[in-house]
Amino acid sequence: MRLIRRISATGATMIAVGAVALSSATPALAAPGDASARGVVVDLSAAVAGVPVVAADVVIGSATAPAGGGTDTETALAITIPGALGVTASGTVVEVSATRGETASSANAEIADLALAVLGTPVIDADVITAAVNCPQTGAQTADTTFTGLELFGEPVDLVPNTPGVTASAAVTVPGLTGAALNATLTNVETVTDDGAVAIAVQATLRLTGTVVGGPLLDIPVGTVILAEARCERPLGPSPTPTPTQPTPSPTQPTAPPTDDPTQPPTASPSPVLPVTGDDTTRLWWLFAIGAAMVTVGGSASVLLRRSRAAHDA
């Protein structure tokens, strides 16, 4: 007989579990214009006394916007988990799509007719689950999720974004454990920042509890399941077109005749060479007198010489 126990989502332990669930999501994209989406992500593993009882690791539907721009899309993917231990799933990933554009990036994921069971117990069922984000170059980023027919352990649930979520448990049969129960917490994420947006429609965190025969109570982490995830980052604005810079013309300087080096003293024009005239005017007059006397004596001698020649000829 299956036992279903509702556990308050406000309990301290479950709040901690919810916080772990939120923090364990795929790291947010960092590069401007990035966008991605995933349909179903199952990462479950548990062992009791060293014996594996749960093992499933698969991603069904993944899209990443091309680096150079454009859209990446996958559609109509069957939800199956080949080789899983203790986990079964069915349904369809209707679409995962991610687009990078010049003015916006966006992503979306949609799942239909989902049924996920662990250790033979139905855990999550839903008719439709969607997640969508939009990151325009200008304006507000958006993140939206929707659910139709969402159930946890067969009971309808309504998830409120960015809260500790809803927690419940169901009895399960596990070899080596008595009083075994599978505990699940479902959370919903819709967050936006100045640069991006994240939407995760359903994120389930699972734990297994029970008592080993003759031993202590065990609390074993089982893992996480993500249903419909979309992420995007705001693209960068267009780079401004640089205005050509015109060289500033240098003012034309008038051509001036060559000038002397301004650092050298000016060169004086050569002065005419004057005869040496002595030390003062007295000496100058003496020289003048002597010259005049010599001229007079010379003239007198010349006259006497001519007279002497004339008398001799007679």
Side-chain angles (χ1 to χ4, degrees), residues 256-262:
T259 58
D260 293 333
D261 186 345

Side-chain angles (χ1 to χ4, degrees), residues 57-86:
D57 184 4
V58 68
V59 176
I60 305 168
S62 178
T64 301
T71 300
D72 181 24
T73 301
E74 290 187 344
T75 60
L77 303 174
I79 299 175
T80 60
I81 311 177
L85 173 64

Side-chain angles (χ1 to χ4, degrees), residues 13-92:
T13 302
M14 291 305 103
I15 290 176
V17 171
V20 170
L22 289 174
S23 64
S24 65
T26 302
L29 301 173
D34 279 354
S36 67
R38 296 189 295 180
V40 175
V41 182
V42 178
D43 183 11
L44 301 175
S45 177
V48 175
V51 179
V53 294
V54 174
D57 184 4
V58 68
V59 176
I60 305 168
S62 178
T64 301
T71 300
D72 181 24
T73 301
E74 290 187 344
T75 60
L77 303 174
I79 299 175
T80 60
I81 311 177
L85 173 64
V87 181
T88 61
S90 63
T92 304

Side-chain angles (χ1 to χ4, degrees), residues 82-111:
L85 173 64
V87 181
T88 61
S90 63
T92 304
V93 174
V94 178
E95 179 183 72
V96 287
S97 181
T99 300
R100 181 198 301 268
E102 292 184 0
T103 59
S105 64
S106 61
N108 65 276
E110 181 179 349
I111 300 169

Side-chain angles (χ1 to χ4, degrees), residues 1-6 116-125 151-156 168-173 180-182:
M1 177 178 178
R2 186 175 66 181
L3 173 65
I4 297 179
R5 303 191 306 274
R6 287 285 176 182
L116 174 71
V118 178
L119 296 172
T121 299
V123 180
I124 303 173
D125 294 274
E151 295 181 350
L152 174 60
F153 294 125
E155 297 290 333
S169 67
V172 293
T173 299
L182 183 64

